[in-house]
PDB file of all heavy atoms in Angstrom:
ATOM      1  N   HIS A  29      96.699 106.598 170.355  1.00  0.00           N
ATOM      2  CA  HIS A  29      97.587 105.734 171.128  1.00  0.00           C
ATOM      3  C   HIS A  29      97.588 104.369 170.458  1.00  0.00           C
ATOM      4  O   HIS A  29      96.613 103.630 170.561  1.00  0.00           O
ATOM      5  CB  HIS A  29      97.131 105.588 172.582  1.00  0.00           C
ATOM      6  CG  HIS A  29      97.339 106.803 173.411  1.00  0.00           C
ATOM      7  ND1 HIS A  29      98.579 107.344 173.647  1.00  0.00           N
ATOM      8  CD2 HIS A  29      96.467 107.600 174.062  1.00  0.00           C
ATOM      9  CE1 HIS A  29      98.458 108.409 174.403  1.00  0.00           C
ATOM     10  NE2 HIS A  29      97.182 108.591 174.675  1.00  0.00           N
ATOM     11  N   GLY A  30      98.658 104.046 169.766  1.00  0.00           N
ATOM     12  CA  GLY A  30      98.743 102.764 169.091  1.00  0.00           C
ATOM     13  C   GLY A  30      97.692 102.606 168.004  1.00  0.00           C
ATOM     14  O   GLY A  30      97.263 101.504 167.710  1.00  0.00           O
ATOM     15  N   GLY A  31      97.228 103.691 167.427  1.00  0.00           N
ATOM     16  CA  GLY A  31      96.236 103.642 166.356  1.00  0.00           C
ATOM     17  C   GLY A  31      94.807 103.843 166.808  1.00  0.00           C
ATOM     18  O   GLY A  31      93.925 104.068 165.983  1.00  0.00           O
ATOM     19  N   SER A  32      94.528 103.780 168.094  1.00  0.00           N
ATOM     20  CA  SER A  32      93.161 103.986 168.572  1.00  0.00           C
ATOM     21  C   SER A  32      93.008 105.410 169.108  1.00  0.00           C
ATOM     22  O   SER A  32      93.941 105.992 169.645  1.00  0.00           O
ATOM     23  CB  SER A  32      92.808 102.975 169.659  1.00  0.00           C
ATOM     24  OG  SER A  32      93.631 103.165 170.782  1.00  0.00           O
ATOM     25  N   VAL A  33      91.818 105.952 168.962  1.00  0.00           N
ATOM     26  CA  VAL A  33      91.547 107.330 169.363  1.00  0.00           C
ATOM     27  C   VAL A  33      91.518 107.431 170.878  1.00  0.00           C
ATOM     28  O   VAL A  33      90.835 106.666 171.555  1.00  0.00           O
ATOM     29  CB  VAL A  33      90.205 107.802 168.762  1.00  0.00           C
ATOM     30  CG1 VAL A  33      89.856 109.192 169.247  1.00  0.00           C
ATOM     31  CG2 VAL A  33      90.263 107.781 167.247  1.00  0.00           C
ATOM     32  N   ALA A  34      92.291 108.387 171.414  1.00  0.00           N
ATOM     33  CA  ALA A  34      92.378 108.562 172.858  1.00  0.00           C
ATOM     34  C   ALA A  34      91.868 109.928 173.315  1.00  0.00           C
ATOM     35  O   ALA A  34      91.679 110.148 174.497  1.00  0.00           O
ATOM     36  CB  ALA A  34      93.811 108.374 173.330  1.00  0.00           C
ATOM     37  N   GLY A  35      91.642 110.860 172.398  1.00  0.00           N
ATOM     38  CA  GLY A  35      91.179 112.188 172.786  1.00  0.00           C
ATOM     39  C   GLY A  35      91.481 113.206 171.709  1.00  0.00           C
ATOM     40  O   GLY A  35      91.866 112.863 170.588  1.00  0.00           O
ATOM     41  N   THR A  36      91.296 114.475 172.055  1.00  0.00           N
ATOM     42  CA  THR A  36      91.552 115.553 171.105  1.00  0.00           C
ATOM     43  C   THR A  36      92.520 116.563 171.703  1.00  0.00           C
ATOM     44  O   THR A  36      92.709 116.624 172.912  1.00  0.00           O
ATOM     45  CB  THR A  36      90.244 116.284 170.728  1.00  0.00           C
ATOM     46  OG1 THR A  36      89.647 116.821 171.908  1.00  0.00           O
ATOM     47  CG2 THR A  36      89.274 115.359 170.030  1.00  0.00           C
ATOM     48  N   VAL A  37      93.107 117.354 170.818  1.00  0.00           N
ATOM     49  CA  VAL A  37      94.036 118.417 171.198  1.00  0.00           C
ATOM     50  C   VAL A  37      93.470 119.730 170.690  1.00  0.00           C
ATOM     51  O   VAL A  37      93.091 119.842 169.520  1.00  0.00           O
ATOM     52  CB  VAL A  37      95.438 118.170 170.588  1.00  0.00           C
ATOM     53  CG1 VAL A  37      96.353 119.327 170.897  1.00  0.00           C
ATOM     54  CG2 VAL A  37      96.020 116.880 171.078  1.00  0.00           C
ATOM     55  N   GLN A  38      93.396 120.706 171.561  1.00  0.00           N
ATOM     56  CA  GLN A  38      92.938 122.033 171.195  1.00  0.00           C
ATOM     57  C   GLN A  38      94.074 122.793 170.500  1.00  0.00           C
ATOM     58  O   GLN A  38      95.228 122.358 170.543  1.00  0.00           O
ATOM     59  CB  GLN A  38      92.476 122.784 172.444  1.00  0.00           C
ATOM     60  CG  GLN A  38      91.293 122.129 173.140  1.00  0.00           C
ATOM     61  CD  GLN A  38      90.072 122.051 172.247  1.00  0.00           C
ATOM     62  OE1 GLN A  38      89.738 122.983 171.541  1.00  0.00           O
ATOM     63  NE2 GLN A  38      89.399 120.908 172.273  1.00  0.00           N
ATOM     64  N   PRO A  39      93.791 123.922 169.859  1.00  0.00           N
ATOM     65  CA  PRO A  39      94.849 124.689 169.190  1.00  0.00           C
ATOM     66  C   PRO A  39      95.966 125.086 170.152  1.00  0.00           C
ATOM     67  O   PRO A  39      95.727 125.405 171.312  1.00  0.00           O
ATOM     68  CB  PRO A  39      94.116 125.930 168.679  1.00  0.00           C
ATOM     69  CG  PRO A  39      92.710 125.490 168.531  1.00  0.00           C
ATOM     70  CD  PRO A  39      92.469 124.491 169.611  1.00  0.00           C
ATOM     71  N   GLY A  40      97.178 125.022 169.626  1.00  0.00           N
ATOM     72  CA  GLY A  40      98.364 125.329 170.418  1.00  0.00           C
ATOM     73  C   GLY A  40      99.401 124.237 170.237  1.00  0.00           C
ATOM     74  O   GLY A  40      99.376 123.485 169.267  1.00  0.00           O
TER      75      GLY A  40
END
Side-chain angles (χ1 to χ4, degrees):
H29 288 299
S32 64
V33 176
T36 59
V37 176
Q38 298 299 317

